[in-house]
Amino acid sequence: MSHAPAPAPALVPTHCPYCSLQCGMNLRGSGETVEVVERADFPVNRGALCGKGRTAPAVLSSRVRLTGPLVRRPATGRLEPAGWEEALRVTADGLRRTRARHGADAVGVFGGGGLTNEKAYALGKFARVVLGTSQIDYNGRFCMSSAAAAHNKAFGLDRGLPFPLEDIPRTGCVVLVGSNLAETMPPALRYLTELKDNGGKLIVVDPRRTKTAEQADLHLAPRPGTDLALALGLLHLVVAQGRTDEGFIEERTTGWEEARAAAMAHWPELVERITGVGVPRLRSAVAMFCDAPNAMVLTARGPEQQSKGTDTVGAWINLALATGNAGRPLAGYGCLTGQGNGQGGREHGQKADQLPGYRRLDDPAARAHVAGVWGVDPDSLPGPGRSAYELLDALGRDVRALLLMGSNPVVSAPRAAHVEERLRSLDFLAVADVVLSETAELADVVLPVTQWAEETGTTTSLEGRVLLRRRALTPPPGVRSDLEVMHGLAGLLGHEKGFPTDPEEVFGELRRASSGGPADYAGISYRRLEEEQGVFWPCPETGGAAVAPDGVTVPAELAAGPDGLTVPEGGAAAGPDGVAADGHSVRRGAGSRPAGSPHPGTPRLFLDRFATPDGRARFVPVVHRESAEPTDAEYPVVLTTGRVVAQYQSGAQTRRVDELNAAAPGPFVELHPQLAARLGVADGEPVAVVSRRGRAVAPARVSEAIRPDTVFMPFHWPGAGRANTLTNPALDPTSRMPEFKVCAVRLERVAAA
């Protein structure tokens, strides 16, 4: 008797839980036997995954993740198992007690760039409506805040990439500043490979010869902290060689005269002395960039995680604007966001100064709109609070209790030993996380929450593409979602309504709260996300008037077509990418989309106007200045930090995956052979790195890929090799970004045991 084969388990399409690429993947299986299956139809990664994505289901195992709440028992001082009712009650009591004794702002909330849009939105609402506190920020402040500030200054709107990744291979030249995407987001490397295959040029700016820099046509290796001078020196040469785009500057920008004067004070020989990059290489970079018919500048944490990060990014934006490489297809400035939902996480209320939809908390109209959605008095909403590091620094003093979700500042924050001390000094700490992180180990209550494969929700990628992660698995019985945690706490704190547990219901409220704001999600639905492989914001709901793809309301007769671009009168036909057959960009003109039809989303921003009041991009004059902590005789070497391919952020999850640990088992100190010889340290021997804030010890990795005056440490590990023990919390005055990438250190031999 024959038997029909059992049907293959269904594939659930979803997205990787790690970086901002949010690579598409399929999941198959159940329980702890889940496998990742290629999802070739998703356009960003086209099936490709890095090791972190392939092994992501390993963190679902009960061997490594939390499966029930923990409460610290006074009798033993230890975290011990508890039921959910007790854990929520103890948490609510701790928050309520602190608020009653010390006021609403004595309670803080710290979020994470890995939270879905729904959870980030609910957390911001919970802080301001239930707790009434202004003291909320998130770890995304450590990621992209300087680029966001510069974006807003120059363009009036912050979205990581104002164009989709698919445009990168078709531009003529990319300047990649401070990004090692071959290790931080490997599937994205194909875009640079395809760029070169198409005849385009790649310039990489990095003090290390990374795997990404090895792909470059030109590698510029400035001293860490001098990226600002480098950008100004390149702009000086562009002006001196007469290679500015005067027509673009006149028609679409303001502030050029002041920015040009500032740049002209940075002549090439001065820039060479500051950066260590020779004048011939500066000239080669300008020629490569300006000879291309279209060009892009992409920045990442290198130039951004500095106490002058906003000005540094602004200088690179000025270079793009001065050459006309903005506001048209296949050209522009963009930022490579780091965390999985770093973009969406700051758009909807986790940041100290923002409300959902990227509205400003100090804007009366924004407060009135969001308060109306929330059903509260606008005057009841607190004002802006402290930024992330300032909030952590205030713990145990002004802020006496903290609810922390999805972050591990004991490892990830600058001056980490001090931050750990501040966390220990709290009257009360509750942590919601997937694993028992180093920060969770300090908590009074640990709340185990669902993770990516066990919950439905949306994220927003570095492209500004809103995506739907689908639930594929049933979570363990002792685990709840963050939305359920907030629902339970809100009820115990007197707010029975307003915190639903269904993510689609939360997203519906988010859509209303964001409607009309800079990051408008009103026209996005779960159904559209399923059908369209994501939707680019802004995506407002259309009314009587049509809404252009840049989010600007226009008369219906001037509405754009579904691709956001139409052909100018007498011009060449445009494809769906908005590029005419003759290779030139086209502009938006009369289109066929009727008023009231669904908005198509906005893959490409700024094609007709920038999001400033006058529609023009703004040059911002900037000048080079030293890092907050220059080297001296006592601390003569520069430390810079970053990631390795097999680990992610603080490593709280990836350090629990055997395959990843085998590839990257622990911290190291990368140093040049000349520096190693002066110190008398051989490859693999322990070396101490000492800053004004502490001491870290890790094996030496001797390499000619780094400058002789610089050392590099990855920041994924706690303990003796914790890189962030050393880093400087000096803050950018605009973005409040700490200076992770530059601090003065000395190296010491470690005596054999």
Side-chain angles (χ1 to χ4, degrees), residues 149 176 208 402 454 473 498 573 575 617 685 710:
L176 185 65
R208 304 166 62 221
L402 184 70
E454 301 164 344
L473 306 169
E685 291 183 349
T710 301

Side-chain angles (χ1 to χ4, degrees), residues 17 19 56 94 171 175 196 252 286 300 352 399 540 568 584 611 616 685 695:
C19 83
T171 192
V175 181
K196 297 186 66 177
R252 301 202 59 192
V286 168
V399 178
H584 292 86
R616 292 171 172 264
E685 291 183 349
R695 185 175 191 264

